[in-house]
């Protein structure tokens, strides 16, 4: 992808928010972070953010389209994140197929009551299995930021560690076992810049409720679908 002019992206973003009746600050577009603040967050998590996301934080906003990265007085984290979401960002994001197979194997090992001599024995075995299965499932998103809450338990992820670093993924595990890369037009996992600028271009073009309704109808049947909407593409 060609170099991104992030100052221009900020101007476009500010103009979009102004058109929507939202300015800078709460509840509009959060201000940018300083280089010092970004480095503090990176040092806390033990990672260096992908360069395009870093530039977004420095030139466009600490939040906006994505969860706001903020300091709460004791630590940095993304607004709305659970305490356990980002404890291991420095650990590489796993290979999807291997992690899925391990997760499926763990869930298949769920204890059965008839295999235990008492309710107490079954409960002990079940609790141990559940703890292990949940840990294995959580590890599928290790090394990724829960960057956007898409509602209904769905999330958009930004990978910050490992071979897939810098790519955007969709976490659809609320309804299935799927963690999918969000694909660009070349059918490759999109970068943050591709994902964001594609969203911005689509939003800029939707100036009336009628246009938005028509666009969503088209997207639902696979026509002109933006990157962020390619949830279950493969």
């Amino acid at each position: 992808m060609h170099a991104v002019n992030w100052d221009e992206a900020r101007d476009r973003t500010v103009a979009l928010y102004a058109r929507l009746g939202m300015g800078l600050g709460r509840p509009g577009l959060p201000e940018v972070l300083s280089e010092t603040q970004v480095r503090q967050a990176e040092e806390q998590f033990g990672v260096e953010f992908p360069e395009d996301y870093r530039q977004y934080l420095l030139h466009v906003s600490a939040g906006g389209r994505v969860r706001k990265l903020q300091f709460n007085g004791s630590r940095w984290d993304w607004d709305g994140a659970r305490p356990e979401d980002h404890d291991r960002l420095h650990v590489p994001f796993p290979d999807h197929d291997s992690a899925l197979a391990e997760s499926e194997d763990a869930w298949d090992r769920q204890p059965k009551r008839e295999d235990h001599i008492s309710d107490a024995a079954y409960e002990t075995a079940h609790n141990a299995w559940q703890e292990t299965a949940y840990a294995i499932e959580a590890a599928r998103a290790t090394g990724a930021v829960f960057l956007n809450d898409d509602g209904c338990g769905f999330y958009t992820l930004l990978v910050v560690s490992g071979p897939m670093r810098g790519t955007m993924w969709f976490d659809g595990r609320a309804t299935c076992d799927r963690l999918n890369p969000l694909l660009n037009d070349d059918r490759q996992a999109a970068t943050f810049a591709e994902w964001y600028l594609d969203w911005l271009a689509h939003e800029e073009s939707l100036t009336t409720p009628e246009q938005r309704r028509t666009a969503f109808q088209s997207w639902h049947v696979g026509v002109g679908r933006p990157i962020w909407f390619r949830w279950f593409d493969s």
Side-chain angles (χ1 to χ4, degrees):
M1 183 177 179
H2 62 79
V4 176
N5 184 334
W6 286 105
D7 290 325
E8 178 187 53
R10 175 173 172 80
D11 291 342
R12 292 171 59 191
T13 302
V14 170
L16 174 63
Y17 273 68
R19 194 191 82 200
L20 297 174
M22 297 183 291
L24 297 177
R26 300 179 66 183
L29 184 69
E31 289 288 2
V32 299
L33 298 180
S34 68
E35 176 68 28
T36 297
Q37 290 173 315
V38 173
R39 287 190 180 277
Q40 287 174 346
E42 290 175 326
E43 289 172 5
Q44 175 192 297
F45 292 113
V47 300
E48 183 174 325
F49 298 143
E51 185 59 22
D52 51 359
Y53 179 58
R54 280 188 112 258
Q55 294 303 313
Y56 178 87
L57 293 172
L58 293 169
H59 293 277
V60 180
S61 176
R65 173 68 174 100
V66 298
R67 283 175 156 177
K68 182 181 179 181
L69 178 59
Q70 59 190 2
F71 187 70
N72 66 8
S74 61
R75 60 177 276 118
W76 287 89
D77 213 335
W78 286 265
D79 181 40
R82 298 165 296 185
E84 68 273 15
D85 283 345
H86 303 125
D87 287 342
R88 302 173 70 226
L89 280 185
H90 62 286
V91 178
F93 186 72
D95 172 75
H96 174 267
D97 292 338
S98 299
L100 174 59
E102 185 178 4
S103 173
E104 290 176 336
D105 182 61
W107 290 107
D108 287 342
R109 294 198 304 270
Q110 181 174 354
K112 297 180 175 60
R113 172 62 184 88
E114 59 266 27
D115 295 332
H116 297 79
I117 60 175
S118 67
D119 288 344
Y122 167 70
E123 183 176 355
T124 297
H126 186 276
N127 288 343
W129 162 81
Q130 189 174 62
E131 182 176 351
T132 298
Y134 283 178
I136 290 172
E137 190 61 41
R140 293 180 64 194
T142 295
V145 176
F146 286 77
L147 198 60
N148 190 65
D149 185 341
D150 296 300
C152 300
F154 298 136
Y155 295 92
T156 296
L157 309 180
L158 169 62
V159 179
V160 298
S161 299
M164 297 305 295
R165 179 178 180 271
T167 58
M168 304 294 292
W169 288 63
F170 177 69
D171 183 352
R173 290 177 294 172
T175 58
C176 63
D177 60 7
R178 300 285 291 276
L179 268 170
N180 287 353
L182 290 170
L183 303 179
N184 60 21
D185 291 341
D186 294 327
R187 309 295 292 172
Q188 302 298 314
T191 64
F192 174 82
E194 290 173 327
W195 175 86
Y196 181 75
L197 295 176
D198 180 76
W199 169 81
L200 182 58
H202 279 85
E203 285 297 311
E204 289 172 325
S205 69
L206 303 177
T207 60
T208 68
E210 292 75 17
Q211 287 178 328
R212 187 171 294 276
R213 282 195 296 270
T214 299
F216 269 80
Q217 289 170 355
S218 298
W219 299 348
H220 276 291
V221 296
V223 178
R225 188 179 280 164
I227 291 173
W228 71 266
F229 204 81
R230 300 171 189 176
W231 295 331
F232 295 107
D233 287 4
S234 60

